[in-house]
Amino acid sequence: PVKSGTRPIIKNQAKPITLDAEFFKACVRWPERFLETPLSHWENGVKHSEIKQWLLALSPSKTIEDFEKTLELLLNSNPDSQLLSLATEELFKEIKQGDGGKLFNAILDRVRRSVAEVEIKSLSVQIKLAERMGDETEVLRLLEKLKELRTS
């Protein structure tokens, strides 16, 4: 029996992580900026699998027209996607051209920091393994790499 006044528990689909959603919207809003951005600057920083999948599909575009065609294909082939609303929201916004670069770069910087965090965690594990194996040369090399990551 269900108690009166209680609500049933509804499991939500995995919602896009806020930074991932912001980055996706920025890419749709400013495709020229996205296409200029190397994959290595964002790929490991995007955690939400569907957003990453869509961005990986869009990234090989050579022109804005190619980008728009690919985006249209993605939108048409995934009508139930949560990304549909994110993309269409950006496509119908009127924006000033002048402010786009700063906002895109600010969001990209946050994604790049996320990439660095993943690399730092990975290096930390590698350092511990090298220490256990007694490989001092490898430990020093990895520590130097870690230092570079933290200062960049």
Side-chain angles (χ1 to χ4, degrees):
V2 176
K3 295 179 188 176
S4 63
T6 61
R7 296 187 309 182
I9 298 173
I10 299 171
K11 290 185 178 180
N12 290 335
Q13 290 182 338
K15 290 188 178 173
I17 298 167
T18 305
L19 178 57
D20 291 354
E22 282 182 45
F23 184 62
F24 177 74
K25 290 186 335 184
C27 293
V28 171
R29 190 185 288 178
W30 299 291
E32 64 285 344
R33 295 273 185 190
F34 171 65
L35 296 176
E36 294 168 355
T37 305
L39 193 67
S40 62
H41 288 196
W42 61 264
E43 184 180 17
N44 291 330
V46 176
K47 309 286 187 278
H48 190 272
S49 61
E50 189 178 19
I51 289 176
K52 189 177 214 172
Q53 183 181 3
W54 280 40
L55 291 175
L56 287 171
L58 291 165
S59 66
S61 301
K62 300 290 182 211
T63 64
I64 301 300
E65 291 76 25
D66 289 345
F67 179 93
E68 290 171 350
K69 285 178 188 173
T70 304
L71 182 59
E72 185 177 347
L73 286 172
L74 289 167
L75 293 171
N76 290 332
S77 63
N78 298 287
D80 297 329
S81 173
Q82 293 177 354
L83 300 187
L84 183 65
S85 64
L86 291 177
T88 52
E89 173 186 332
E90 290 310 308
L91 290 172
F92 293 111
K93 270 188 180 175
E94 288 187 32
I95 56 151
K96 296 177 191 166
Q97 293 291 356
D99 70 351
K102 290 180 185 176
L103 183 57
F104 182 87
N105 288 339
I107 295 168
L108 179 60
D109 285 344
R110 290 175 53 200
V111 172
R112 288 178 77 176
R113 279 195 299 272
S114 180
V115 169
E117 289 169 12
V118 169
E119 291 175 4
I120 287 169
K121 286 178 185 176
S122 173
L123 276 174
S124 298
V125 170
Q126 292 176 38
I127 290 168
K128 288 178 185 174
L129 288 172
E131 286 174 338
R132 286 186 193 153
M133 296 176 71
D135 189 346
E136 290 181 30
T137 307
E138 183 67 3
V139 170
L140 290 174
R141 186 184 73 76
L142 292 170
L143 283 171
E144 189 60 35
K145 240 176 134 175
L146 184 63
K147 180 181 172 185
E148 288 173 21
L149 269 175
R150 287 191 170 152
T151 57
S152 62

